Amino acid sequence: MTSNDSVITSVPTRLLIGGEWVDATGGATFEVTNPANDEVLASIADATPADGERALAAAAGAQAEWRATEPRKRGEILRSAFELLTERADDFARLMTLEMGKALPEAKGEVAYGAEFFRWFSEEAVRIHGRYAEAPAGNTRLITMKGPVGPTLMITPWNFPLAMGTRKIGPAIAAGCTMVVKPAAETPLTMLALAALLEEVGLPKGVLNVVTTTDSGGVCEPIIKDSRLRKLTFTGSTAVGKKLVAQAADQLLRVSMELGGNAPFIVFGDADLDAAVDGAMLAKMRNIGEACTSANRFLVHSAVAEEFAEKLAARMGAMKVGDGTQEGVEVGPLITEKARTGVHELVEDAVSAGAQAVVGGAIPEGPGHFYPPTVLVDVPATARVLREEIFGPVAPITTFDSEEEAIASANDTEYGLVAYVFSKTHARVLRVSEALEFGMVGLNTGIVSNPAAPFGGVKHSGFGREGGFEGIEEYLETKYVGSAL
């Protein structure tokens, strides 16, 4: 088995700019720590705005040649990256667990999921096409062409350090776009390791540039406002996303945003309760609840609410909490102490308003940012936990009595990323799916994410889609040519 130390020491700790691993201007570094024990894992380069400018210059300089690279070659680079990433799955999983906290089995699942974006888009690279048509008047031929948008800034989050990168990098490589990637300061090591892997499989210099920094705004804003940049893609909070969209307006950038969520998990009275609990475990506890797709509000028909709560509490309460690298651990630490405090404040607010914690609800003693799986019942409608994104292992349960009430409650949020519905009635799940104001709906399943499907939301959850046939369109421009006969 690979040791923690060997995984860490194999990761580059400098910036990748123009195909060279370089120190930050001035030589500044910052520490990456393990959320399970606060131990320092590595010190890595802390980029300055000047480094961001150098990275963009490298991406812009490589764009013309990369655009001209044949689609088959771009696809084969992605396929090779998929194969090598799959081969090294254990190392990447351990690296993610060390810097982010998720348990090793969860991390291995992310490697498989993240690698699949490379395989999917390796196959899409050769399927980019336009169309040829006769104009209605008959005297002109209408030709549409597809081409890469151009240099792209990618800002990725800490919660899925690999997959949130591959689902942006994959379509960009397939489409022929060059990139500057700015990973989250909490979890930069996985992206650095991924960049080294792409370099190893033959991605040309300057196509992918990586800047790690603790000054995200200072480094990214000048890049966003530079005329050489043509696209911005961001996964993260709605508050930050709004600021980035405003900055992108200066250059009228192509923008795709995957932002916050407040996912309802609706259980109707005719649902298979065991299947619903299985789905709830996936939708709530995937990634320790630190996911934008995490079930945030459990809306359960009053006739089955008590039984559902008991079964869910039994399952969540039995989960082993601890260091994600240890055997049998299912729930690792939250990313920071601030994150844990925020989750606990939501629980305390709900309890003070009348909710009851069936299981969990207390901060454990000892090192690390651990929080126990928690189930809340009798949660009042005014509780913050129902309005705000929890981003932790807390399941608040409320009840409803009619289909109309369930739909109204589910839609009563500014967010619109994903919703989950459990019912045995075919007509009902179709009606409810159509009525829900969300970009994605999971029917009798607790997982909707799939590289072959378009991932994304509506309302304050953002716009644009990642994955599926639609995912590559975010990195392509359409050119129309009218040819007279």
Side-chain angles (χ1 to χ4, degrees), residues 4-5 8 29-44 98-99 189:
N4 293 348
D5 289 343
I8 295 297
T29 62
F30 67 95
E31 294 179 339
V32 181
T33 59
N34 184 339
N37 52 31
D38 287 323
E39 291 180 359
V40 175
L41 297 172
S43 293
I44 66 171
L98 290 171
E99 69 171 344
L189 301 178

Side-chain angles (χ1 to χ4, degrees), residues 182-484:
K182 202 292 295 178
E186 294 87 351
T187 58
L189 301 178
T190 301
M191 180 56 68
L192 291 168
L194 182 64
L197 182 146
L198 285 164
E199 192 177 43
E200 190 175 341
V201 298
L203 189 67
K205 293 182 177 181
V207 173
L208 175 68
N209 305 274
V210 180
V211 289
T212 53
T213 183
T214 56
D215 182 18
S216 182
V219 170
C220 291
E221 185 171 1
I223 298 176
I224 293 169
K225 294 190 174 182
D226 192 304
S227 61
R228 292 172 294 184
L229 189 72
R230 295 313 315 140
K231 176 175 171 63
L232 166 66
T233 175
F234 170 74
T235 298
S237 73
T238 296
V240 173
K242 289 179 179 180
K243 293 178 182 178
L244 294 174
V245 170
Q247 292 174 12
D250 279 3
Q251 296 298 331
L252 294 176
L253 295 180
R254 280 280 294 275
V255 178
S256 52
M257 293 274 146
E258 197 270 282
L259 307 176
N262 187 2
F265 189 101
I266 307 171
V267 181
F268 284 97
D270 67 337
D272 179 330
L273 277 195
D274 289 332
V277 172
D278 288 343
M281 292 298 292
L282 291 170
K284 178 71 262 182
M285 294 307 298
R286 184 187 183 203
N287 215 53
I288 327 171
E290 292 177 316
C292 54
T293 55
S294 178
N296 217 60
R297 300 169 288 147
F298 288 82
L299 314 178
V300 187
H301 193 278
S302 56
V304 296
E306 185 176 351
E307 183 181 356
F308 177 84
E310 290 175 356
K311 290 186 173 185
L312 181 61
R315 290 280 297 276
M316 287 180 64
M319 300 185 81
K320 184 177 180 180
V321 179
D323 185 325
T325 62
Q326 300 302 311
E327 186 73 25
V329 167
E330 300 168 279
V331 183
L334 298 183
I335 188 66
T336 61
E337 185 58 31
K338 180 181 178 181
R340 179 169 73 165
T341 299
V343 169
H344 189 56
E345 286 176 352
L346 291 177
V347 171
E348 287 186 314
D349 172 77
V351 171
S352 67
Q356 296 181 6
V358 181
V359 67
I363 294 179
E365 295 181 357
H369 316 305
F370 298 99
Y371 199 82
T374 299
V375 175
L376 302 174
V377 296
D378 301 326
V379 182
T382 55
R384 288 172 53 206
V385 75
L386 298 179
R387 314 298 302 180
E388 302 176 22
E389 192 169 22
I390 301 169
F391 243 62
V394 178
I397 297 175
T398 62
T399 62
F400 66 87
D401 292 309
S402 69
E403 182 177 312
E404 294 73 21
E405 183 185 354
I407 292 170
S409 295
N411 287 338
D412 185 20
T413 174
E414 64 186 3
Y415 298 103
L417 187 61
V418 61
Y420 304 93
V421 180
F422 278 74
S423 171
K424 292 180 183 177
T425 304
H426 181 67
R428 169 181 284 150
V429 295
L430 290 180
R431 285 195 306 271
V432 174
S433 295
E434 291 181 359
L436 289 171
E437 298 168 353
F438 294 83
M440 302 177 288
V441 179
L443 299 179
N444 295 312
T445 180
I447 290 183
V448 294
S449 301
N450 191 302
F455 186 103
V458 298
K459 300 194 289 186
H460 286 203
S461 290
F463 43 82
R465 293 296 181 266
E466 295 185 317
F469 304 116
E470 296 84 352
I472 200 168
E473 289 294 329
E474 300 290 338
Y475 296 87
L476 294 170
E477 295 282 19
T478 299
K479 179 184 291 185
Y480 152 63
V481 177
S483 177

